[in-house]
């Protein structure tokens, strides 16, 4: 099954876009999907250890954030991360409050009212040094571009991106065998030695 075919199914789309959060490696990821697929998301995520909330509703496509609540709470409890996104008006009563604020800001961006909410990178688990570097450099002068633009520790992150690519490949291959996402997530936990450096 090629990538074009995978994008036709919500399950395939999740494997392509969200394997890193489904595997437990990252705290969250964005999922872009056709509006008619929205009703399938909760069903596909059952027993995967992840949740979803909608960020933006478009005419044909929408965007949700798929997240592991515990990992996202840990990411945002980091003092530097917390102080950083507080600058943009985020509250920390609950993860839902953070996501609702991100949804508000992303919607304002789509409506042309504000610049892109780059603090989203922290919520998606990108290193603060790279999120700050991107903002300070207006997206230029980066050392490497992979899953995000890298401004420090490039060699370390290039190795990390290779592992990310391998994880995505694993999820896509398993989807092609007809497995459910919860089965793939469960199987992945048994591969901790293979992906030990990030798992």
């Amino acid at each position: 099954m090629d990538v074009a075919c995978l994008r036709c199914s919500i399950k395939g789309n999740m494997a392509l876009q969200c394997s890193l959060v489904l595997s437990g490696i990252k705290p969250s990821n964005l999922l872009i999907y056709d509006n008619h697929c929205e009703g399938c998301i909760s069903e596909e995520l059952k027993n995967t250890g992840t949740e979803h909330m909608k960020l933006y509703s478009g005419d044909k496509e929408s965007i949700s954030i798929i997240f592991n609540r515990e990992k996202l709470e840990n990411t945002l409890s980091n003092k530097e991360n917390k102080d950083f996104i507080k600058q943009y008006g985020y509250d920390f009563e609950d993860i839902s409050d953070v996501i609702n604020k991100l949804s508000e800001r992303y919607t304002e961006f789509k409506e042309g009212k504000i610049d892109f909410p780059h603090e989203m990178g922290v919520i998606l688990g990108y290193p603060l040094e790279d999120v700050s570097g991107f903002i300070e450099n207006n997206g230029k002068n980066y050392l490497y571009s992979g899953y995000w633009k890298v401004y420090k520790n490039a060699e370390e992150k290039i190795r990390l991106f290779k592992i990310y690519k391998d994880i995505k490949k694993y999820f896509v291959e398993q989807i092609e065998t007809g497995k459910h996402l919860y089965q793939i997530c469960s199987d992945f936990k048994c591969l901790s030695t293979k992906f030990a450096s990030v798992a």
Side-chain angles (χ1 to χ4, degrees), residues 163 166-167 169-170 173 188 190-199:
I163 295 169
D166 290 343
I167 292 170
K169 181 173 181 283
Y170 172 79
E173 287 174 347
F188 183 84
C190 301
L191 301 175
S192 56
T193 54
K194 182 177 179 181
F195 299 104
S197 57
V198 291

Side-chain angles (χ1 to χ4, degrees), residues 58-179:
D59 293 336
K60 295 181 179 179
E61 288 187 331
S62 292
I63 301 174
S64 285
I65 185 167
I66 310 297
F67 62 98
N68 177 302
R69 183 172 290 270
E70 181 179 356
K71 285 189 175 294
L72 186 52
E73 286 174 345
N74 288 340
T75 296
L76 297 180
S77 66
N78 173 281
K79 185 179 186 306
E80 290 183 344
N81 288 341
K82 182 182 289 189
D83 289 346
F84 179 79
I85 69 171
K86 270 186 175 179
Q87 301 174 68
Y88 299 94
Y90 287 81
D91 193 357
F92 288 88
E93 290 299 318
D94 185 79
I95 286 298
S96 298
D97 296 331
V98 173
I99 295 174
N100 284 331
K101 181 64 177 179
L102 178 59
S103 174
E104 174 189 314
R105 283 180 51 75
Y106 189 80
T107 299
E108 288 177 346
F109 158 70
K110 294 294 281 187
E111 293 172 348
K113 296 177 181 176
I114 63 170
D115 292 335
F116 185 86
H118 291 296
E119 75 279 2
M120 180 191 292
V122 171
I123 297 168
L124 296 178
Y126 301 170
L128 180 57
E129 60 190 15
D130 294 328
V131 176
S132 297
F134 184 96
I135 293 170
E136 290 164 7
N137 289 275
N138 294 313
K140 301 174 182 177
N141 306 319
Y142 50 88
L143 302 175
Y144 186 82
S145 181
Y147 282 81
W148 58 81
K149 288 185 176 178
V150 174
Y151 288 85
K152 288 187 178 178
N153 302 315
E155 289 185 8
E156 170 191 331
K157 287 161 190 171
I158 289 169
R159 288 193 295 271
L160 188 64
F161 292 162
K162 164 105 176 33
I163 295 169
Y164 284 3
K165 183 178 178 181
D166 290 343
I167 292 170
K168 180 177 176 179
K169 181 173 181 283
Y170 172 79
F171 267 75
V172 168
E173 287 174 347
Q174 296 303 303
I175 285 289
E176 289 174 342
T177 69
K179 287 185 178 179

Side-chain angles (χ1 to χ4, degrees), residues 10-56:
I10 190 65
K11 185 166 68 172
N13 234 339
M14 287 178 173
L16 286 167
Q17 298 180 48
C18 302
S19 55
L20 299 177
V21 66
L22 290 165
S23 64
I25 302 302
K26 283 176 78 268
S28 64
N29 246 95
L30 298 184
L31 176 68
I32 303 169
Y33 54 91
D34 291 338
N35 288 338
H36 68 269
C37 296
E38 184 174 351
C40 304
I41 296 175
S42 293
E43 185 64 28
E44 293 293 349
L45 290 180
K46 276 185 180 176
N47 301 314
T48 64
T50 60
E51 305 172 49
H52 74 99
M53 288 179 63
K54 184 181 281 190
L55 283 186
Y56 176 74

